[in-house]
Amino acid sequence: MRNKGLVITLTLIVSALCIYFLTLTFVSRGVQRDAVAYASRGGKLVEPKRQRYLDSVWRAPVFGPLTYKDVRTSELGLGLDLNGGMHVTLEVSPVEIVRAMSGNSKDVAFNKALVNAQQAQKSNPSTPFTTLFAQSYREVAPNNKLASIFANTTNKSRGIDINSTNEKVVSEINKEVEEAIDRSFNILRTRIDKFGTSQPNIQRVKGTGRIQIELPGVDNPDRVRKLVQGQAKLEFWEVWRPDEYAPYLNQLNEVLNAKEAAGATAAVASASTDTAQATTATAAADTSSLASKLAKKTPATAKADSASPKKNVLASLFTMPGTLGSNVRDTARVNAVLRSPDTRAVLPSNLTFMWGVKPDVIDGQEYLQLYAIRKSGSADAPIGGEVISDARGDIDPMSGRSEVSMQMNPSGARKWQKLTAANVGRQVAIVLDDYVYSAPNVQTEIAGGNSSISGNFTIEEAKDLANILKAGKLPAPTRIVEEAIVGPSLGQEATNQGLYSSLAGLVIIMIFMAVYYGRAGMVADAALLFNMFLILGVLAQFSFALTLPGIAGLVLVIGTSVDANVLIFERIREELDHGLQTQDAINKGYGRAFSAIFDSNVTTLIIALILGFFGTGPVQNFAITLGIGVFTSFLSAVYVSRLIIERLTKGKDKSSLTFDTAISRHLFKGTNFDIVGMRKYAYVASTVIILLGFGLMALQGGPNLGVDFRGGREYIVDFNKAIPASDVRDLLTTDYFGGAGTEVKTFGSANRLRITTGYLAADESTDADNKVRAALETGLKQKYAAATPTVKSSSKVGATIADDIKKTSVISLGLTLLAIFVYVLLRFEKWQYSMAAVVALFHDALLVIATFPIARALGLNYEMDQVFVAAVLTVIGFSMNDTVVIYDRIREYLRENKHLTFAQVVNPALNSTFSRTMITFTTVFLVVGVLYVFGGETLRSFSFAMLIGIIYGTYSSLFIAAPLILDTYGRKEKANLNTTTDAGAPKLSTANV
């Protein structure tokens, strides 16, 4: 084998990384088990105690120098469907942005255009709102210009004046909407980071104005909704100087010290009882450190301090060097002290403390600064964010340092002048959602509303601060357009089902390979186990969460990863049958199989990339697992297995390495089916199934689409006994859901129902969510109270999301077929190969879709959803693998037998690859069958589509793809089809294979 040293080195490096990151996963799981044990001492898990335990060790070393935070962010996490929690997709509303940019114009045509655009958005959810608004305004006021509405002081910095064209105005509105999305993303990211959940995930959805948030383990959905939909609160506050607030802190310190000395339960002790049990030590007392932070003391204060106990409570908390602040791990205890009755009694009413938003790293430790904010007589800040007209991060041309330029409207300019005049030489805090983002010193009174904020900023930090300042400029409300809540018990059930199906599939494949290929099969098993180890390790390295669709991808990789070894072993067996020595047969088998393995992996990777790019949520996770599996399978099957086999063949017992058993030795030997001769029967059979399926679909009122394709809300409800689904549907539809379309199905067991409704589907507000949920619970409890109905999970998909999912699904299918057409054309150099492959793959997709209404007519009621689309595309990949292997053998025969025509080699090629086709079909069918049986109801539609797709894919690679080439390119060679089956047909020497 060439480059053996490089392969070994690469394998060792990757393996070491996988071991390291999987070890971090085990360490993290151990900490979480300790937290559960700690919070369950009374026999029941107390979630706040568990969370306090995790908070206490969040920045404590748990694995060498690595803290729990480091370990947690580098582990193999579990998705919401396995861990429970909440997923929301938010959309930034552009309506209020447009309205605010107009200065809340009262123009009749403008407001009518806004209303019309909102109505048009309902029927055209994928069209940008700004485009619809511009169209509506042209219709309402064809002779007016948008500049007459938007040429104001607010938009002057954007270059909009009375002479601006409509295109210019719309372009600037689009920029503002995009910036609003960025601001919302930054604000939400900060809020989520402060929310307290472990391993949150927030990301922008590419190409849209949407933001996706995942919060594992949350149990308060209402709190999350308020958190993510609340309007940003930007404020400017005066700041106390250290010499002004120090006496109050010293007085508070004396009170707390006295309580400590007297053995009383101080506020800090009550707040940290649980935390102290969970951490190894608290910060040491350091009176001199506190004194340096609280500035100079008065003589009276110093005298009082000299008589105080050596224990210094505040000094043990305010440990940030050089200023008032604490180690990040101590912030919860500091908050408890600041909220205590003792603190409220000592501190003046106009003094409150706020944390800085970003920690400072000092000597390897993270600290948060604490700012003393001077509250005014009212609850309102001296200046609110609504006065900001513009802000941008710039480079000071004189100093070359990053700075932030800020402009205010006339009202804000007057307030800003007054505030800065009163605070020359002092700090003014810029506060968003009660966290201090910056507290610049005022150098001089600032008139006119134009200010420059300088400091030790990077250009990125300057841009972030500018975005924060602009958060108060225009309202950019967000609305939840997609939501999913999974209860922890349902997540645990899904975890068990995924684990069982994965292990069962792995065991079945390993047994099959050992029974069919003997010791060589055991080598393939070792490579398969190594492949699973690599996939999990790589997922952990890149902090990907494993979800139920991800497990489906893993199970599929288990089935398809042995395909490369099957190709190789079948080649080796052919060479051994032709008399080659074992080592020569191995070398030739690996060499001959490489091109087919490479091509089949590339086509699978193409599908994974397209699914990963266009898919969201479960589909994207499936694609990630599948894509990683392509690379790890190639490494383990092609290189690692060869290293093992070469090692075995160089030992004393090399003759004992076998590639068959008594069961497989004569199986598929000498097959000579007239596969091409049966192609017309296959054409007819496929046509009948497709017509029957789509005919039934029309009679059934269209395809049975899932909630993510049609929009609406879905609930999983458990009862303590079996409840007829039809009774629940009639009850809810008639009496509670206003006659809206409602489906109720048994979900996994007789006492669990999945309820899907279109009631208020067009209303994506939280009020509508609550109304539908209340109607559901009221209806179920009134009639089935004795059955104790319990909602275990819920999901919502808005009309905009559903429309986009349908559009991206069609695009994904089209791009997949196009990419495969191009790749096959490049590899096989004739368009007929590409055409036949794409027609066969499209035929497979149609057959899978057509089978669903047929199955529905037979009582198997499966929905078509996002995961179904992933299944169809995966079937295309599986079918393409088979087709590529056959194409590769045809190309090989034609190159080595130049006197033969396509018609003369097509049947021999199909027969020579028949054993590989059937073995791969068997292994994948078995493993997907296990997924269908044990994978749970959530993946039932996916695994059913895969099961029938595997059958259709195998069938089309034999009877559709290659025969179609014969019916186009092959006939041009004027070859007689019968020459492939007549007794006098040319004989292909398989020694050349």
Side-chain angles (χ1 to χ4, degrees):
M1 183 174 68
R2 295 180 181 178
N3 302 316
K4 181 184 295 186
L6 177 62
V7 171
I8 293 174
T9 302
L10 177 63
T11 302
L12 290 176
I13 292 173
V14 173
S15 300
L17 289 172
C18 290
I19 290 171
Y20 173 74
F21 282 99
L22 289 176
T23 300
L24 296 184
T25 299
F26 285 119
V27 171
S28 177
R29 295 288 187 273
V31 173
Q32 293 169 49
R33 285 194 296 270
D34 292 343
V36 171
Y38 167 76
S40 304
R41 289 179 180 175
K44 183 180 178 181
L45 176 63
V46 181
E47 180 58 30
K49 287 185 68 176
R50 185 189 73 86
Q51 191 60 51
R52 281 201 300 273
Y53 181 98
L54 295 177
D55 288 342
S56 69
V57 299
W58 184 244
R59 300 179 190 276
V62 294
F63 184 64
L66 298 181
T67 65
Y68 178 55
K69 176 187 177 183
D70 300 326
V71 170
R72 185 73 167 153
T73 54
S74 302
E75 69 165 338
L76 176 61
L78 296 179
L80 300 186
D81 49 3
L82 299 179
N83 196 33
M86 187 172 183
H87 161 96
V88 294
T89 299
L90 297 160
E91 191 168 68
V92 177
S93 174
V95 179
E96 296 303 324
I97 297 175
V98 174
R99 195 185 301 278
M101 286 187 71
S102 74
N104 291 313
S105 172
K106 305 300 181 183
D107 183 84
V108 175
F110 166 77
N111 285 282
K112 186 175 181 181
L114 274 181
V115 173
N116 291 349
Q118 288 175 275
Q119 293 297 322
Q121 184 91 77
K122 295 178 180 179
S123 56
N124 300 279
S126 60
T127 304
F129 177 82
T130 50
T131 301
L132 296 174
F133 164 72
Q135 292 172 353
S136 298
Y137 189 78
R138 281 197 300 268
E139 294 171 1
V140 173
N143 299 321
N144 292 359
K145 293 178 62 177
L146 286 171
S148 63
I149 305 294
F150 291 91
N152 51 43
T153 55
T154 300
N155 299 321
K156 187 177 181 180
S157 61
R158 289 192 170 275
I160 298 178
D161 57 35
I162 197 64
N163 297 315
S164 297
T165 63
N166 286 355
E167 290 73 18
K168 167 67 175 176
V169 173
V170 172
S171 174
E172 293 303 320
I173 294 174
N174 283 330
K175 288 180 183 177
E176 183 58 47
V177 170
E178 185 66 21
E179 290 175 6
I181 297 167
D182 284 336
R183 291 195 295 274
S184 297
F185 176 78
N186 290 330
I187 293 166
L188 288 170
R189 182 173 57 188
T190 301
R191 288 181 181 177
I192 296 304
D193 288 342
K194 306 295 182 184
F195 183 68
T197 186
S198 299
Q199 246 183 347
N201 178 40
I202 176 169
Q203 59 183 343
R204 280 198 59 177
V205 181
K206 50 189 174 292
T208 71
R210 300 189 192 116
I211 300 168
Q212 282 187 343
I213 299 172
E214 287 190 353
L215 299 172
V218 300
D219 55 359
N220 191 339
D222 288 336
R223 182 186 170 202
V224 172
R225 294 186 189 106
K226 291 176 182 177
L227 178 82
V228 300
Q229 290 186 295
Q231 188 70 29
K233 184 178 66 173
L234 178 66
E235 300 168 315
F236 294 82
W237 289 100
E238 296 177 284
V239 180
W240 290 66
R241 290 197 305 259
D243 61 316
E244 294 172 335
Y245 64 73
Y248 298 109
L249 286 187
N250 285 326
Q251 184 180 352
L252 174 62
N253 198 44
E254 291 166 7
V255 172
L256 298 177
N257 288 343
K259 282 198 170 187
E260 285 270 315
T265 305
V268 67
S270 64
S272 59
T273 298
D274 294 333
T275 305
Q277 295 176 18
T279 54
T280 56
T282 59
D286 185 356
T287 55
S288 61
S289 173
L290 179 64
S292 67
K293 293 178 179 56
L294 304 186
K296 295 181 178 180
K297 301 181 181 181
T298 63
T301 308
K303 183 177 180 180
D305 280 355
S306 66
S308 63
K310 291 184 179 180
K311 176 69 176 176
N312 195 320
V313 175
L314 290 187
S316 69
L317 295 176
F318 296 146
T319 55
M320 185 173 183
T323 189
L324 186 66
S326 295
N327 193 296
V328 172
R329 73 179 67 170
D330 294 326
T331 54
R333 291 192 292 155
V334 173
N335 288 337
V337 170
L338 296 178
R339 296 191 197 104
S340 68
D342 291 321
T343 301
R344 290 196 296 270
V346 171
L347 298 184
S349 59
N350 64 340
L351 171 60
T352 188
F353 289 95
M354 293 183 182
W355 292 105
V357 71
K358 291 183 179 179
D360 295 319
V361 179
I362 304 173
D363 296 331
Q365 295 287 319
E366 289 187 334
Y367 296 89
L368 279 176
Q369 187 172 350
L370 199 60
Y371 293 86
I373 302 300
R374 187 186 298 276
K375 290 280 189 176
S376 57
S378 65
D380 296 329
I383 302 178
E386 71 279 356
V387 304
I388 303 294
S389 60
D390 196 14
R392 62 188 69 238
D394 291 322
I395 299 292
D396 185 350
M398 302 297 293
S399 65
R401 299 174 63 185
S402 299
E403 64 177 16
V404 178
S405 300
M406 176 178 65
Q407 291 83 45
M408 295 182 176
N409 61 27
S411 172
R414 290 190 295 271
K415 294 179 181 179
W416 186 236
Q417 182 175 1
K418 181 180 178 181
L419 182 64
T420 54
N423 287 275
V424 174
R426 302 173 66 99
Q427 289 177 288
V428 172
I430 302 170
V431 179
L432 181 71
D433 291 340
D434 294 328
Y435 284 93
V436 178
Y437 279 74
S438 181
N441 280 293
V442 178
Q443 303 296 328
T444 184
E445 176 184 343
I446 302 173
N450 294 322
S451 309
S452 176
I453 303 171
S454 59
N456 190 23
F457 300 135
T458 65
I459 186 61
E460 290 79 13
E461 289 171 338
K463 289 179 179 178
D464 287 345
L465 180 55
N467 275 333
I468 294 305
L469 290 168
K470 291 176 71 174
K473 174 192 170 187
L474 294 176
T478 57
R479 58 193 178 101
I480 296 176
V481 294
E482 184 182 26
E483 176 184 290
I485 303 169
V486 180
S489 60
L490 201 59
Q492 184 61 50
E493 183 179 319
T495 302
N496 295 337
Q497 291 170 340
L499 179 63
Y500 295 152
S501 60
S502 299
L503 291 177
L506 184 63
V507 169
I508 288 175
I509 291 296
M510 292 178 67
I511 292 173
F512 178 87
M513 292 298 288
V515 169
Y516 197 89
Y517 289 110
R519 288 192 69 190
M522 296 180 185
V523 172
D525 290 343
L528 178 60
L529 290 174
F530 183 67
N531 187 25
M532 294 299 102
F533 159 74
L534 288 181
I535 292 174
L536 295 176
V538 173
L539 286 172
Q541 287 180 54
F542 291 97
S543 300
F544 291 129
L546 188 62
T547 65
L548 206 54
I551 289 179
L554 192 64
V555 171
L556 186 62
V557 169
I558 292 174
T560 56
S561 63
V562 300
D563 180 50
N565 282 126
V566 170
L567 275 168
I568 293 166
F569 293 166
E570 288 299 303
R571 282 285 194 168
I572 293 174
R573 289 175 65 184
E574 290 178 13
E575 303 302 335
L576 290 172
D577 288 344
H578 300 138
L580 291 183
Q581 295 297 316
T582 301
Q583 191 61 53
D584 292 335
I586 290 171
N587 291 336
K588 203 165 187 179
Y590 272 94
R592 296 266 188 181
F594 184 85
S595 63
I597 295 171
F598 181 82
D599 287 333
S600 61
N601 275 276
V602 169
T603 53
T604 303
L605 184 61
I606 287 172
I607 291 171
L609 289 173
I610 290 173
L611 280 175
F613 184 82
F614 287 102
T616 59
V619 173
Q620 194 172 61
N621 196 272
F622 170 81
I624 288 170
T625 308
L626 187 63
I628 291 172
V630 169
F631 291 102
T632 58
S633 298
F634 195 79
L635 175 64
S636 60
V638 175
Y639 294 108
V640 174
S641 69
R642 186 168 186 178
L643 289 173
I644 298 173
I645 285 178
E646 287 186 352
R647 179 72 177 175
L648 292 174
T649 55
K650 289 181 180 178
K652 294 181 180 180
D653 60 341
K654 61 183 179 181
S655 60
S656 64
L657 181 64
T658 59
F659 291 89
D660 57 20
T661 64
I663 295 175
S664 63
R665 192 161 296 130
H666 301 292
L667 197 62
F668 301 120
K669 290 288 185 180
T671 55
N672 189 26
F673 302 121
D674 183 13
I675 298 173
V676 173
M678 294 184 284
R679 70 192 188 284
K680 293 183 179 179
Y681 299 106
Y683 297 164
V684 172
S686 296
T687 302
V688 169
I689 294 173
I690 292 171
L691 291 177
L692 175 63
F694 281 88
L696 287 172
M697 187 186 296
L699 293 175
Q700 293 165 357
N704 188 20
L705 300 178
V707 68
D708 45 4
F709 273 157
R710 61 185 175 182
R713 294 171 178 84
E714 181 179 277
Y715 306 88
I716 306 298
V717 183
D718 275 2
F719 300 84
N720 60 14
K721 63 180 181 180
I723 301 293
S726 58
D727 292 353
V728 174
R729 183 192 63 235
D730 294 342
L731 169 73
L732 294 175
T733 303
T734 305
D735 297 338
Y736 296 94
F737 288 161
T742 302
E743 289 186 358
V744 181
K745 302 174 184 176
T746 302
F747 190 75
S749 61
N751 65 326
R752 175 174 292 169
L753 298 179
R754 180 169 67 183
I755 301 170
T756 307
T757 179
Y759 180 48
L760 299 181
D763 189 344
E764 297 167 355
S765 67
T766 302
D767 289 341
D769 296 341
N770 296 335
K771 186 175 181 179
V772 177
R773 176 73 175 257
L776 171 75
E777 292 180 339
T778 301
L780 294 179
K781 288 179 180 178
Q782 284 191 0
K783 185 168 183 179
Y784 303 107
T788 60
T790 305
V791 177
K792 307 297 289 185
S793 75
S794 65
S795 62
K796 176 185 78 173
V797 178
T800 307
I801 289 282
D803 184 77
D804 282 357
I805 290 173
K806 284 185 284 189
K807 182 176 70 174
T808 55
S809 298
V810 173
I811 293 174
S812 298
L813 179 60
L815 283 180
T816 299
L817 296 177
L818 176 62
I820 288 175
F821 181 93
V822 173
Y823 182 77
V824 173
L825 181 62
L826 292 174
R827 291 290 289 166
F828 294 93
E829 301 175 352
K830 288 184 174 62
W831 67 266
Q832 290 90 347
Y833 283 76
S834 295
M835 178 276 300
V838 168
V839 170
L841 298 179
F842 189 63
H843 152 276
D844 295 340
L846 289 178
L847 281 177
V848 172
I849 295 171
T851 302
F852 266 60
I854 295 174
R856 188 178 182 184
L858 297 175
L860 298 175
N861 200 358
Y862 298 122
E863 292 182 343
M864 300 179 187
D865 52 17
Q866 281 191 87
V867 181
F868 167 81
V869 174
V872 171
L873 292 178
T874 307
V875 166
I876 287 176
F878 171 84
S879 177
M880 193 62 226
N881 286 357
D882 265 358
T883 302
V884 162
V885 171
I886 294 168
Y887 280 7
D888 186 75
R889 189 64 64 97
I890 291 172
R891 177 177 56 186
E892 185 177 318
Y893 279 0
L894 290 173
R895 285 177 178 174
E896 298 183 355
N897 301 272
K898 297 184 182 302
H899 60 286
L900 297 180
T901 64
F902 181 92
Q904 291 172 314
V905 302
V906 61
N907 247 345
L910 289 168
N911 278 281
S912 63
T913 57
F914 189 77
S915 59
R916 175 265 165 197
T917 299
M918 297 313 299
I919 294 167
T920 299
F921 164 77
T922 302
T923 55
V924 178
F925 188 86
L926 285 174
V927 76
V928 176
V930 169
L931 183 66
Y932 180 77
V933 175
F934 297 107
E937 196 65 33
T938 304
L939 290 177
R940 198 79 72 197
S941 173
F942 171 87
S943 50
F944 177 73
M946 283 298 304
L947 278 176
I948 60 175
I950 290 164
I951 297 172
Y952 292 141
T954 303
Y955 154 79
S956 72
S957 65
L958 291 171
F959 296 99
I960 304 296
L964 276 177
I965 302 176
L966 178 66
D967 287 331
T968 54
Y969 167 74
R971 289 200 175 281
K972 292 181 180 180
E973 298 180 314
K974 299 180 180 180
N976 187 345
L977 179 62
N978 293 329
T979 60
T980 61
T981 55
D982 288 346
K987 302 296 183 182
L988 285 173
S989 172
T990 51
N992 293 328
V993 179

